[in-house]
Amino acid sequence: MDGADGVNGTSGADERWQEAWGRPEDALARAVEVLRAPRPDILPRLSRTLGTLVPHVAVAQLSGVCTFSPTHAHGLPELTEGISSLELSRLAERTTATTSAGRPWQGEAELAGHTRPVVVVVTAAPGGGTPGGGTPADTAPVGETGTTTGSGAVLVLVRADTAPVAPGALAVLQQLWELVIAHSDHRSTDAGPRNAAASRVSANARARAIAEFTGTHSAALSAILAPLRSADLDDATARRSATELAVTALLDLRRGADLDRALSEEPADAAFARLARELRPLLRHTRVRLDAAPPAEAARSVPADAAHTARDAVRAAVLLMLEHEKPGRLHVSWQFTADDALRAVVRGDGLGVLAVDALAVHRTADRIAALGGRCTVEAVPGWGTTVTVDLPLTLPEPALVSDPLAGLQPRESEVLDQLAQGRRNRDIAAALHISESTVKFHVANILAKLGVASRGEAAALAHRAGLPNGTVGLHVAS
């Protein structure tokens, strides 16, 4: 793989890392470069950026931020095509078992069918746990040993040689990966309604594929076991060895299915515990008492997008009640309904004046609707207000809605953002520090890509897609 693409095996790069990363402003500039990359380009951009810090020939990640596609790889095809989520999960487990929290592990490990030199970075799971087993009860646990959920994530760099990486470079690597995952988790939590609906469709399709493959492979391996256990075979030792290998393969297959389920779902008790932790800082400097009632079926799993939306709705309701209701006590609860929905309830004893459309702020109501849910606000003056959000856990698949702005380049998105604010070419050029002729060039490309004939139509389309942002931020999604 060409070194300019970020994956290389240059032996002297370890000694030169301080030249490229030693100054804080240089490290921050490289971090911003990664965070500004479009969603599909995050891992390749990260790989290229890390080329001067930890030289490598391939990179792979396993993250619960993206529930429908948690495993990604970039680099040499003979490596990336053979890396599995189960292998990455085992490396995460090994790292958390052999190093202290927040420190990468380097050594040799089985990956893509061979023993290879690797550097493994694991982020902390929500609440301070790790992506392996053994997290506390009030964190977001990972189910079976070696899985990751929520913002817990593993990054594996496959190296060309076994030369040790400098401790300082490893420390920078850990912090950069923590930053990338934290920002991705934020973007995932604040995803737009259409993205949430698309995520649910993809997650459902992935779950069906997993179930189908698991059934097929289990049947095949079970069929192998039957003749090997037959008394008609002479070589007992060979039969016993083959049986043990087949049993091991079956266990790995089932463990892989459990891992995939853990990456696309959250245990109900862990999801609610995360919400409770997020609410406490909001009430820290008030006299409001918070009563939190977790769901009775604590071990039941909740789709990750439903858990994200439920937490977002509860946070929004709490903030609105603190601002408008002046409550003395808030009661927050989650429960599963008879029609297979997650019900989130926020009840306050305040003034009882909250508007029925209060959750329309911050697109919360749109996110609820995108998942097929509904929200009701019942305000009784002098008695208080109750906000109820119902999110179906199984729902018909909505049609995938393509994002009309998805085909725009980053600079074109910035120009469109300015257009949506009604600015002229001269003002856009000044704001973006480019020439007017460059602005005209971008505007022409925007009109062609969006299939519209005028700036006004492009601005209208941008408004429907959620622009203007006011300022163009960093966009890193799951």
Side-chain angles (χ1 to χ4, degrees), residues 297-316:
E297 300 176 61
R300 184 169 176 177
S301 293
V302 179
D305 50 2
H308 280 314
T309 301
R311 285 192 291 262
D312 175 69
V314 170
R315 285 194 303 268

Side-chain angles (χ1 to χ4, degrees), residues 19 24 29 49 72 99 121 125 164 203 234 269 275 292 349 358 372 379 383 399 432-433:
E19 181 180 343
T49 302
H72 297 275
T99 66
V121 192
D234 299 328
D269 55 349
L275 170 64
D349 61 356
W383 290 88
L432 301 181
H433 307 289

Side-chain angles (χ1 to χ4, degrees), residues 106-175:
Q106 56 180 325
E108 295 187 344
E110 286 292 325
L111 197 64
H114 296 281
T115 300
R116 308 178 190 276
V118 296
V119 174
V120 185
V121 192
V122 180
T123 66
T130 59
T135 57
D138 63 342
T139 65
V142 296
E144 298 299 321
T145 303
T147 63
T148 60
T149 83
S151 60
V154 55
L155 179 73
V156 176
L157 302 175
V158 184
R159 309 200 63 214
D161 55 56
T162 58
V165 180
L170 291 177
V172 174
L173 173 64
Q174 177 77 42
Q175 294 306 313

Side-chain angles (χ1 to χ4, degrees), residues 124-475:
T130 59
T135 57
D138 63 342
T139 65
V142 296
E144 298 299 321
T145 303
T147 63
T148 60
T149 83
S151 60
V154 55
L155 179 73
V156 176
L157 302 175
V158 184
R159 309 200 63 214
D161 55 56
T162 58
V165 180
L170 291 177
V172 174
L173 173 64
Q174 177 77 42
Q175 294 306 313
L176 178 59
W177 182 234
E178 296 274 4
L179 177 62
V180 170
I181 289 301
H183 191 69
S184 297
D185 185 48
H186 168 72
R187 296 299 306 172
S188 176
T189 300
D190 195 37
R194 286 182 296 187
N195 289 338
S199 175
R200 175 64 70 88
V201 172
S202 300
N204 287 347
R206 181 169 175 270
R208 285 198 304 272
I210 291 169
E212 292 171 0
F213 282 122
T214 299
T216 300
H217 294 166
S218 296
L221 290 172
S222 297
I224 293 173
L225 284 174
L228 290 177
R229 288 172 172 168
S230 172
D232 297 334
L233 295 177
D234 299 328
D235 193 344
T237 302
R239 184 167 63 247
R240 183 169 58 253
S241 299
T243 299
E244 291 173 354
L245 289 172
V247 169
T248 300
L250 274 172
L251 292 176
D252 281 348
L253 189 63
R254 291 168 183 167
R255 187 173 178 224
D258 291 340
L259 171 64
D260 282 312
R261 282 195 298 272
L263 288 166
S264 59
E265 299 175 348
E266 293 187 44
D269 55 349
F272 187 83
R274 179 176 174 182
L275 170 64
R277 289 194 301 273
E278 293 171 351
L279 292 179
R280 291 189 189 107
L282 303 181
L283 306 175
R284 182 171 299 157
H285 301 294
T286 72
R287 296 184 178 181
V288 178
R289 176 178 173 181
L290 175 65
D291 297 326
E297 300 176 61
R300 184 169 176 177
S301 293
V302 179
D305 50 2
H308 280 314
T309 301
R311 285 192 291 262
D312 175 69
V314 170
R315 285 194 303 268
V318 167
L319 288 172
L320 287 168
M321 288 187 180
L322 291 176
E323 181 179 358
H324 301 289
E325 292 280 310
K326 312 303 179 187
R329 173 180 292 186
L330 290 175
H331 180 83
V332 176
S333 65
W334 279 11
Q335 57 184 287
F336 295 104
T337 65
D339 55 350
D340 201 25
L342 173 64
R343 174 168 295 168
V345 179
V346 182
R347 184 178 298 109
D349 61 356
L351 301 176
V353 295
L354 201 63
V356 294
D357 60 348
L359 285 188
V361 298
H362 305 305
R363 300 183 301 177
T364 300
D366 291 337
R367 294 188 65 186
I368 294 170
L371 296 184
R374 63 182 183 274
C375 174
T376 59
V377 178
E378 299 179 13
V380 181
W383 290 88
T385 300
T386 300
V387 176
T388 304
V389 176
D390 287 319
L391 296 170
L393 300 179
T394 57
L395 51 130
E397 297 181 354
L400 279 172
V401 180
S402 59
D403 185 353
L405 310 186
L408 299 182
Q409 297 296 321
R411 178 62 81 181
E412 293 169 346
S413 297
E414 294 174 341
V415 172
L416 180 59
D417 185 86
Q418 298 288 321
L419 268 181
Q421 298 178 54
R423 294 181 177 174
R424 297 174 299 176
N425 286 353
R426 180 184 306 172
D427 299 325
I428 296 174
L432 301 181
H433 307 289
I434 56 179
S435 67
E436 282 192 59
S437 59
T438 301
V439 173
K440 294 178 182 178
F441 173 78
H442 286 313
V443 170
N445 284 342
I446 290 169
L447 298 182
K449 290 184 178 181
L450 298 184
V452 296
S454 67
R455 296 162 65 100
E457 291 181 44
L461 189 60
H463 280 289
R464 289 196 294 272
L467 292 179
N469 294 322
T471 58
V472 179
L474 303 176
H475 293 276

